[in-house]
Amino acid sequence: MNAVGSYEVRTRLLYTSRIGTVFLLLIDASIWLQRPDIVDFHHRVQPIPGPFVQDIYDFVVVGAGSAGAVMAARLSEICHWDVLLLEAGTDESFLTDIPFLYPTLQTSRVDWKFRTEPSDRFCLAMKDQRCRWPRGKALGGSSTINAMLYVRGNPRDFDAWRDLGNPGWSYDDMLPYFLKLEDMRDPRYANLSYHGRGGPISVERFRYHTPLRNHLLAGLEEMGLTNRYGEVNGPMQSGFAVPHGSIRNGLRCSTAKGYLRPAAARKNLHISTKTMVERVLIDPNDRRAYGVQFEKGGRRYQVMVSKEVILSAGALNSPQLLMLSGIGPRQELERHGIRVIQDLPGIGQNMQDHVATGAGGYTIRPPPGSPPLAYDFGDAVGVDTLRRFLFNEDGMLYGMSLCEVMGFLNTKYQDPELDWPDVELFLASLSDLTDGGRFGKRGSGISNNYYAQVYEEQVYQNSYMVIPMLSRPLSTGWLELASKNPHDHIRIHPNYFDNPKDMMVLVRLIKQILCVSDSILG
């Protein structure tokens, strides 16, 4: 066991945390002064004050995230429809625009700060044996805090949904919508038939990459593991490629930026932030939704709808709101004293998550006299990095450190003849060593004890990490109410590895990673 203990980790982080915090505050203040393109003062959403909310709308959209922002913008194109969009969080911050800082957004004010329930079977390296479950609490939702990686998904997944009895969900059915939303700005792919131009979501390659990326690609190509089309959204998904991102001019392009800002000036679209929806109002006789109840600024409001309530609050908050509104498993609702309007046992059930592990970290020893191959924490929080970002619009802050190369592979549990990989890999040009636990450890929720045992004796070393993830997990979990209070987070039971094959696939993948990493960089 590592001689360094959790006390030493906690003490070191206490004395070094100011460096990262001061750097973030400096970036935020400097953007206000030097980067009007990020401030975007004239196009930012101006939320409607509570007293100006109308009594009735044609549509009320709950949740301004990856889906809700799109729904509200599209519906409000019909000028005689009044649309109200309700969001619990605030507008995007300046820092959310910066690709490199994405890990710092987890546990920040734009994150719901969800955590799974304790388990003795998974999340064992995390504080209190509970995994963090980042979800965006801002305009744009999780598209405002995610890693911006633009991945459509495998065509066979869409076709499988169609085959299960869902017409209209095949890949051929969905492709026109992908083309419509996309503004492919990479000139090597912009004119291909399976990419779109002029859509609201810009797609580019990340502006910055470390020297390590080219070494990784060269090794993967020598092993015959690169994608023949150079991307994972083309005719074939299998193989490794440099990822595209939902970014515009090197900065994040969330659905708030792509859809809401252009639509926000419409007089028939009202956007209310810092608004906590408490329940959907449903007639118990005909079971028709006729409005919503929400809290804003310490006051409670009820708004009616003439057409529809659209619930787009995400995989956690949507089922919670349904149950709080009387729709869900009878036993669960009655346990919390909620009147049952419709007994639907499936609400909150059959939850699946793409479980991953980030334990595959490797230190790098560059040739004597050479600069670091991967990200260096000292350089990342240095004055030169900030200067290049503010005045040259380039440099380290434009990079996606958690995924410089992306890959999809088949393990031995998947038919090798099918382009339907069962695992995805992210090759990161840093690891949990890089920043000494300042941001990565906090964002993922790793416990001090685990960090001490695995990482502490090698902190701040130049390193990279391979993150393996299941593409199609077989284990299913569930959600349950903590109480009838809408402010209490829903309880998350992910039930990872309940199906033993999920663990077998990940273990097999980690063994493949060890072989591949040894071959790539020796």
Side-chain angles (χ1 to χ4, degrees):
M1 179 176 289
N2 196 312
V4 181
S6 61
Y7 174 78
E8 286 81 358
V9 174
R10 188 166 57 249
T11 301
R12 180 180 56 77
L13 288 174
L14 178 65
Y15 283 99
T16 60
S17 61
R18 295 179 182 177
I19 299 173
T21 302
V22 169
F23 185 65
L24 294 178
L25 292 173
L26 183 60
I27 294 176
D28 191 66
S30 300
I31 286 173
W32 176 258
L33 297 172
Q34 299 291 341
R35 292 297 301 267
D37 58 321
I38 296 177
V39 175
D40 199 16
F41 180 77
H42 295 290
H43 299 103
R44 289 269 176 171
V45 171
Q46 300 300 314
I48 186 170
F52 289 87
V53 174
Q54 299 171 186
D55 293 330
I56 185 168
Y57 289 84
D58 292 294
F59 296 91
V60 173
V61 182
V62 180
S66 298
V70 179
M71 292 297 301
R74 296 285 284 127
L75 287 169
S76 62
E77 291 177 8
I78 309 300
C79 60
H80 59 272
W81 283 351
D82 288 336
V83 180
L84 175 64
L85 177 61
L86 303 174
E87 169 56 44
T90 61
D91 194 4
E92 303 164 282
S93 72
F94 298 156
L95 298 183
T96 58
D97 263 31
I98 304 173
F100 182 76
L101 297 183
Y102 116 84
T104 70
L105 304 176
Q106 299 177 17
T107 72
S108 73
R109 68 174 178 86
V110 292
D111 178 18
W112 277 93
K113 303 181 181 69
F114 289 113
R115 297 175 72 193
T116 63
E117 292 301 294
S119 171
D120 59 2
R121 295 191 298 111
F122 49 82
C123 301
L124 302 183
M126 308 305 175
K127 184 179 179 181
D128 303 324
Q129 297 180 193
R130 305 175 69 187
C131 285
R132 296 196 186 279
W133 197 296
R135 293 287 87 190
K137 189 179 182 181
L139 296 179
S142 294
S143 74
T144 296
I145 71 169
N146 65 13
M148 294 153 276
L149 300 171
Y150 182 68
V151 183
R152 291 174 178 171
N154 191 285
R156 288 181 178 271
D157 288 324
F158 292 94
D159 293 344
W161 296 335
R162 174 203 58 197
D163 296 342
L164 288 171
N166 300 285
W169 280 92
S170 73
Y171 187 73
D172 287 341
D173 290 322
M174 297 302 297
L175 182 58
Y177 296 97
F178 283 123
L179 299 180
K180 189 173 183 177
L181 73 84
E182 186 180 284
D183 182 21
M184 173 55 75
R185 296 186 171 191
D186 187 335
R188 291 166 291 183
Y189 301 92
N191 296 317
L192 298 176
S193 61
Y194 47 86
H195 284 296
R197 297 286 300 275
I201 300 298
S202 306
V203 178
E204 304 171 350
R205 288 258 164 88
F206 294 94
R207 282 191 180 180
Y208 177 86
H209 66 84
T210 64
L212 178 66
R213 190 191 76 175
N214 291 339
H215 289 285
L216 293 171
L217 286 172
L220 291 165
E221 185 172 5
E222 185 176 325
M223 298 178 70
L225 293 176
T226 53
N227 184 291
R228 72 179 68 167
Y229 297 95
E231 62 156 337
V232 299
N233 296 310
M236 185 177 77
Q237 188 183 58
S238 300
F240 285 85
V242 175
H244 283 110
S246 50
I247 49 179
R248 178 179 299 170
N249 300 324
L251 304 170
R252 180 187 298 274
C253 183
S254 67
T255 59
K257 182 183 289 188
Y259 284 89
L260 282 187
R261 292 189 197 180
R266 296 173 186 160
K267 297 189 181 301
N268 64 324
L269 174 60
H270 289 172
I271 301 171
S272 180
T273 58
K274 299 181 182 179
T275 304
M276 187 69 180
V277 177
E278 298 177 328
R279 63 189 178 104
V280 180
L281 303 176
I282 303 172
D283 189 308
N285 297 315
D286 63 11
R287 296 180 175 86
R288 179 181 177 86
Y290 63 87
V292 295
Q293 176 178 299
F294 59 88
E295 182 273 328
K296 179 180 174 72
R299 291 184 58 188
R300 179 165 288 133
Y301 298 83
Q302 287 190 349
V303 169
M304 306 298 112
V305 295
S306 61
K307 290 184 170 61
E308 294 182 22
V309 175
I310 298 174
L311 195 55
S312 56
L316 302 181
N317 287 328
S318 286
Q320 181 183 22
L321 276 172
L322 285 172
M323 287 190 277
L324 292 173
S325 306
I327 299 176
R330 177 179 296 275
Q331 185 176 5
E332 173 77 353
L333 302 187
E334 291 179 343
R335 182 161 64 93
H336 295 287
I338 299 172
R339 180 183 182 184
V340 179
I341 294 178
Q342 180 65 53
D343 178 21
L344 282 183
I347 301 296
Q349 304 299 305
N350 197 38
M351 184 180 67
Q352 291 179 287
D353 184 34
H354 298 277
V355 64
T357 177
Y362 303 86
T363 57
I364 305 170
R365 184 175 300 169
S370 299
L373 293 178
Y375 281 96
D376 179 81
F377 183 64
D379 290 341
V381 297
V383 174
D384 183 64
T385 295
L386 180 57
R387 180 190 60 77
R388 290 183 62 182
F389 174 78
L390 292 173
F391 301 108
N392 299 350
E393 298 188 15
D394 67 5
M396 205 173 290
L397 296 181
Y398 280 94
M400 175 39 61
S401 57
L402 266 293
C403 185
E404 288 213 308
V405 180
M406 172 188 293
F408 288 87
L409 294 178
N410 289 326
T411 68
K412 70 176 184 179
Y413 300 103
Q414 173 64 11
D415 184 349
E417 299 301 318
L418 294 178
D419 179 35
W420 200 13
D422 55 349
V423 292
E424 182 177 2
L425 296 99
F426 307 98
L427 274 59
S429 49
L430 47 62
S431 77
D432 287 303
L433 295 171
T434 304
D435 66 355
R438 178 65 191 92
F439 298 117
K441 172 185 174 297
R442 184 189 66 178
S444 59
I446 293 175
S447 70
N448 287 335
N449 187 55
Y450 179 83
Y451 195 90
Q453 293 182 40
V454 179
Y455 299 110
E456 184 64 19
E457 289 189 345
Q458 301 185 79
V459 293
Y460 303 121
Q461 289 205 35
N462 212 226
S463 56
Y464 77 101
M465 179 169 55
V466 182
I467 305 171
M469 185 177 77
L470 295 178
S471 294
R472 291 185 301 282
L474 300 175
S475 303
T476 58
W478 68 94
L479 304 170
E480 63 179 11
L481 293 175
S483 74
K484 64 189 301 182
N485 184 344
H487 292 271
D488 291 340
H489 283 175
I490 198 161
R491 290 176 176 165
I492 307 169
H493 300 271
N495 206 27
Y496 294 134
F497 308 119
D498 180 63
N499 189 310
K501 187 176 178 181
D502 288 345
M503 179 66 78
M504 293 163 62
V505 171
L506 266 186
V507 169
R508 178 63 184 175
L509 180 57
I510 291 171
K511 291 179 179 179
Q512 288 180 239
I513 290 170
L514 292 172
C515 295
V516 170
S517 295
D518 289 343
S519 300
I520 292 176
L521 296 177

